[in-house]
Amino acid sequence: VPQVRKMVFETNPACDPAMVCSIPLSAHGFDLYANAVLGLTAARNGMIHGLAGSDSFRLFRLRHDKALEILADIPAAREILNGNVIVAHEDSVFCVGDCVFRWTSTGGLKQFAVLEEGQRPVALAVDGLNARLFVLAEPAHVLQVLDLASGHEIKRIELGGYVCSRWIKATADGCLYGFEANAGIYKVDLRLQKVTLSGKIACLRGTEFIAECTSLSEEAEGAIWGGTREGYLFSIALADDKVTHHGKPGNFYLKGVTALGGR
C-alpha cells in the first residue's frame, strides 16, 4: 500500500506567517509531474534562482515581488542530480547541465566550461575571495578549479576512491570542504592542496561505506553544518576543522540544513 510521508516545517514563533507563501511551478510553464526543484541559490541582490525539472530542465528566478520568471532551458542529456547544482556570484548564476553554464541578465545562458568526454558536472561552489569556481565531476570523481572570469582550468584535483556525496562548500576564507569514501571529509586549502580531516560525518557503526552528506550550510559564526541520509546532524568548525556530531533531530534523512549565526 503506498504511503505518503507527511512533511512538517517548523519556524520561529515570531515569524510572520503572512511572509510564507507557496508558488506552484506548474502555473509558470513547468509540467505538473516534471517540476522537481533540484537546487536553489540566493544572490546578493535578494533574488532567488533555481533549477527544476525532470525530463527537461529550466533555470528560473523568483523576484522580490514573488513573481517567477523562466530564464532559460538547460541542455542536459542525462538526469541532473540533486546537490550543489546552482550557485550565484555577483551578476552571474552558474548551473550544471551537460557542461557548466553561466547565466547573466545581459548575455543570457552561455556555455562556461566543458569537461572531458564522459564526465559531467554534478556540484559547484564559488570561491569569491580568489575568483575561482570549483566543479565536482562524475564518474571520475575529479574536482576542477576554474578561473571565475574565463572558465579556464587552474588545477585538477583527483579525489580517488568512491565519492559518496555531491555536496561541496566553499567558505568565505577561500577553502573548500567535501566528502569522500568511508564517511571521510576532505578540505582544499588556499594553496589548492587537498587534505583529509581526522573527523568523519556521523553514521551508524558499520555503515561508513554508504554514509552520505545530503545538505550543507555555512554559518556566519565560522562553522559548516550538514545533514546526512541517515538523519544525523554534524558541524565542522572552520577555525580548527573539528567535526562535532549533534545526534538525530528526526527520523528521516536531512534534505535541507540552514544555519543562522548564533542560533
Side-chain angles (χ1 to χ4, degrees), residues 122-190:
V122 293
L124 306 173
V126 168
D127 169 17
L129 180 65
N130 301 291
R132 300 187 291 213
L133 179 71
F134 292 93
V135 182
L136 180 64
E138 287 187 353
H141 307 311
V142 173
L143 187 67
Q144 287 184 270
V145 188
L146 308 180
D147 181 87
L148 197 54
S150 66
H152 294 156
E153 184 176 287
I154 299 172
K155 186 170 182 178
R156 180 173 302 200
I157 302 171
E158 302 288 341
L159 299 178
Y162 177 64
V163 178
C164 295
S165 173
R166 299 181 185 96
W167 290 89
I168 54 177
K169 190 70 178 176
T171 57
D173 61 0
C175 297
L176 179 122
Y177 291 81
F179 305 89
E180 52 191 358
N182 297 318
I185 304 172
Y186 66 84
K187 175 182 178 180
V188 177
D189 62 21
L190 292 176

Side-chain angles (χ1 to χ4, degrees), residues 1 6 42 116 124 139 152 169 212 254:
V1 178
K6 183 179 180 182
E116 293 182 352
L124 306 173
H152 294 156
K169 190 70 178 176
E212 179 183 356
L254 300 181

